[in-house]
Amino acid sequence: MHEVPHPSPSHTTPLQGVLSILPDAAIAMELGADAVLMNSGIANAKNPELMAEAMKHGVTAGRAAYLAGRMARKLYATAGSPLQGVVR
């Protein structure tokens, strides 16, 4: 997936496509989509009501992650915990 550009605050950027599982919806929202349009993933689920509820949580979580802002990308890995006080 590619980041969805925001042309201006007066335009919304919905994403329509093959969103059949919760991580798809969460990632779309995390990348900056204003909304997702889905049908098949819910309609074809064994329990459509439960799938709709799950997708709602995925969309909500993805939007929260987008608003929270991700950490800066790095070209290399670094230790996340301090090395001071480590018993060797």
Side-chain angles (χ1 to χ4, degrees), residues 30-74:
E30 188 175 354
L31 291 175
D34 292 314
V36 294
L37 177 62
M38 61 183 75
N39 178 37
S40 300
I42 295 171
N44 296 325
K46 291 179 184 175
N47 184 336
E49 267 187 50
L50 189 57
M51 182 60 78
E53 184 73 19
M55 290 293 193
K56 179 180 87 170
H57 290 296
V59 167
T60 302
R63 183 64 180 168
Y66 172 75
L67 294 174
R70 64 169 288 138
M71 62 183 267
R73 294 179 189 256
K74 298 179 181 180

Side-chain angles (χ1 to χ4, degrees), residues 3 5-7 10 15 18-19 33 39 42 49-50 52 63-64 78 80 88:
E3 187 167 346
H6 286 278
S10 64
L15 183 67
V18 184
L19 297 171
N39 178 37
I42 295 171
E49 267 187 50
L50 189 57
R63 183 64 180 168
T78 56
R88 295 177 189 236

